Amino acid sequence: MYNLFRRIILLRSPSSVFSHGFSECPLKSLRYLSTSSEIVSSPKSASLPSNVVQLMNNRKAIIAFFENHGFSESQISDFVKKVPLMLSENPETLFPILLFFQSKGLSSSAITKLVCSVPQVLKRSLNQEIIPVFDYIQAVLGTVEKTVTTIKRFPRILGWNLRISVGPNIEILKQLGVPDSNISTYLQRQPKMFFTSSIQFKEIIERVMEMGFSPQRLQFLVAVFALRSLTKSSWDKKLEVYRKWGLSEEDFRIAFRRNPMCITFSEDKTNSVMDFFVNKIGCQSSFVARKPVLISLSLKKRIFPRGYVYQVLLSKGLIKKHKKIILLFESPEKRFIEKFINPHKEQIPGLLELYEQKLMDSRK
């Protein structure tokens, strides 16, 4: 459809009228917008009905507007497919929205990415919707920079009335004594967590409280977020995985209390991690339940390559069985090499190269 529009209306005016991006003087753009109705003026257009000429003018003006503000043809095509009525918009109403985002510190590329992600934002009222949303987020987070980061991470937040959809849930947390700093942190990291009906939000909080989480700790919000992503049936399926490995419901709850995010991974992932540590490393399944951070680690990029190093060191008598095993798997890359590879270079020549080969194999 977009290509058809291009064939019909792409009677380009000289591109030298603009410089690309948002560095141009706003007044130049506004002067351009004031003359957009004069774009189509060929002999063929004179024979067309006036409303068709006006439509062609507007479509060409919109496309030229986006092209001259840093959008590629493919990007324009994509968001016109998402919002076909964008071609009927008046560029004069779009420019202030782009200018607002620029005034808040978003770069040209960041604005382009934002609009391509959620083109519907350009259909919203700047004064009645976009600015109030921005101001509300800033009031909670405290700075423009944090607000911009949140919008970049979750641009759809601009389409919500936050005082109605988010405000009640934030108030619930405050009444429980959740620190403002924790609310701010999680709104910035995981804003989707707050987009839940107040009834459901209260139910989730009650479950989290029952499991012993303290509202004063950030882990409380981590647990709320984790439970929000699960239905009751999903919770039961994950519990069954633990039971399959001989663990109780209490073991499952212990794992959740220690690392709530462990329940957000698939049953297959949990099974694979259990299988590796129980059948390859020789640990008890209860060990994994009490160290649930292991479930969050990548099998191919972390567990398998480091498990290989562990087994080599164990076979050479350079490490005791299950000694420092959490440190071995959880350490950042640099510390892992310094702690478990470099000290054994003489006893096991080429260990680093073998480990790096395992990492390369994981990327295939």
Side-chain angles (χ1 to χ4, degrees):
M1 179 176 64
Y2 171 73
N3 290 331
L4 178 62
F5 288 152
R6 297 285 294 180
R7 288 195 295 271
I8 293 176
I9 65 178
L10 197 51
L11 306 171
R12 292 290 303 271
S13 57
S15 60
S16 59
V17 174
F18 291 98
S19 60
H20 286 284
F22 292 87
S23 59
E24 65 178 19
C25 172
L27 293 178
K28 291 182 179 180
S29 287
L30 292 176
R31 282 199 296 271
Y32 159 72
L33 296 177
S34 68
T35 60
S36 62
S37 62
E38 302 171 4
I39 292 175
V40 177
S41 57
S42 66
K44 289 184 179 181
S45 67
S47 63
L48 295 173
S50 60
N51 62 331
V52 174
V53 173
Q54 184 178 1
L55 178 63
M56 292 168 64
N57 274 326
N58 198 71
R59 288 173 176 172
K60 178 169 174 55
I62 284 290
I63 291 174
F65 172 80
F66 283 119
E67 285 181 337
N68 289 287
H69 283 85
F71 292 81
S72 67
E73 288 189 13
S74 62
Q75 288 172 330
I76 298 171
S77 175
D78 287 342
F79 68 67
V80 165
K81 288 177 183 177
K82 293 179 182 177
V83 188
L85 290 177
M86 189 70 72
L87 289 173
S88 64
E89 287 292 318
N90 184 345
E92 292 185 14
T93 66
L94 303 182
F95 181 71
I97 296 176
L98 302 185
L99 195 61
F100 171 76
F101 289 131
Q102 182 193 26
S103 73
K104 296 301 181 181
L106 275 78
S107 65
S108 177
S109 60
I111 295 173
T112 301
K113 185 177 180 180
L114 172 67
V115 172
C116 289
S117 176
V118 189
Q120 295 87 345
V121 70
L122 296 181
K123 301 282 289 181
R124 303 199 174 277
S125 166
L126 175 61
N127 293 319
Q128 296 180 15
E129 295 177 290
I130 296 175
I131 291 178
V133 167
F134 194 98
D135 289 346
Y136 182 86
I137 300 172
Q138 185 178 340
V140 176
L141 300 183
T143 68
V144 171
E145 291 75 18
K146 290 180 179 179
T147 303
V148 168
T149 299
T150 301
I151 291 173
K152 285 181 179 179
R153 182 175 289 116
F154 187 57
R156 293 185 184 279
I157 200 171
L158 291 168
W160 292 76
N161 185 329
L162 299 188
R163 294 189 184 279
I164 295 175
S165 58
V166 171
N169 293 338
I170 289 180
E171 191 58 34
I172 290 171
L173 295 175
K174 288 184 175 182
Q175 290 175 1
L176 288 172
V178 176
D180 288 346
S181 59
N182 289 356
I183 295 174
S184 173
T185 296
Y186 234 76
L187 181 62
Q188 190 175 355
R189 290 180 184 175
Q190 298 289 351
K192 288 189 290 186
M193 182 187 83
F194 297 90
F195 290 92
T196 306
S197 72
S198 295
I199 294 175
Q200 183 183 0
F201 198 70
K202 287 179 181 178
E203 292 174 350
I204 293 171
I205 285 176
E206 287 175 2
R207 291 179 63 191
V208 171
M209 296 283 285
E210 288 172 359
M211 283 186 274
F213 288 89
S214 169
Q216 281 72 43
R217 301 188 62 183
L218 186 60
Q219 195 81 328
F220 179 87
L221 291 181
V222 178
V224 171
F225 176 76
L227 281 183
R228 177 193 176 276
S229 66
L230 291 182
T231 62
K232 179 63 168 58
S233 62
S234 296
W235 172 276
D236 292 340
K237 287 179 182 178
K238 295 176 188 299
L239 172 58
E240 283 305 310
V241 172
Y242 278 69
R243 285 176 171 161
K244 171 187 172 182
W245 290 95
L247 298 169
S248 65
E249 183 171 356
E250 181 57 27
D251 292 320
F252 181 59
R253 286 174 174 267
I254 288 173
F256 178 72
R257 284 196 293 267
R258 293 188 176 185
N259 184 1
M261 295 306 293
C262 73
I263 67 167
T264 64
F265 295 94
S266 70
E267 292 93 277
D268 286 343
K269 170 70 184 297
T270 303
N271 267 319
S272 296
V273 173
M274 284 286 192
D275 178 68
F276 179 85
F277 282 99
V278 173
N279 296 324
K280 300 292 193 301
I281 302 298
C283 298
Q284 296 293 319
S285 58
S286 57
F287 172 79
V288 179
R290 284 165 171 73
K291 303 293 181 182
V293 67
L294 296 172
I295 297 173
S296 68
L297 302 177
S298 168
L299 282 162
K300 290 185 177 181
K301 297 180 181 179
R302 176 70 68 91
I303 293 178
F304 291 163
R306 294 194 183 186
Y308 169 79
V309 171
Y310 169 78
Q311 290 173 321
V312 170
L313 295 178
L314 187 64
S315 69
K316 300 292 184 180
L318 297 174
I319 192 173
K320 293 183 180 180
K321 191 172 184 179
H322 302 164
K323 185 73 172 180
K324 298 181 179 179
I325 196 167
I326 290 298
L327 180 64
L328 183 146
F329 284 98
E330 195 178 356
S331 293
E333 188 71 3
K334 183 178 179 181
R335 187 181 182 192
F336 168 75
I337 291 174
E338 291 176 349
K339 189 77 176 176
F340 296 97
I341 292 183
N342 289 345
H344 308 297
K345 282 183 176 180
E346 293 184 4
Q347 297 98 320
I348 312 176
L351 180 60
L352 177 60
E353 288 74 16
L354 288 170
Y355 170 67
E356 290 175 341
Q357 183 60 49
K358 293 291 182 181
L359 286 176
M360 290 180 63
D361 291 344
S362 73
R363 299 188 181 101
K364 293 180 181 179

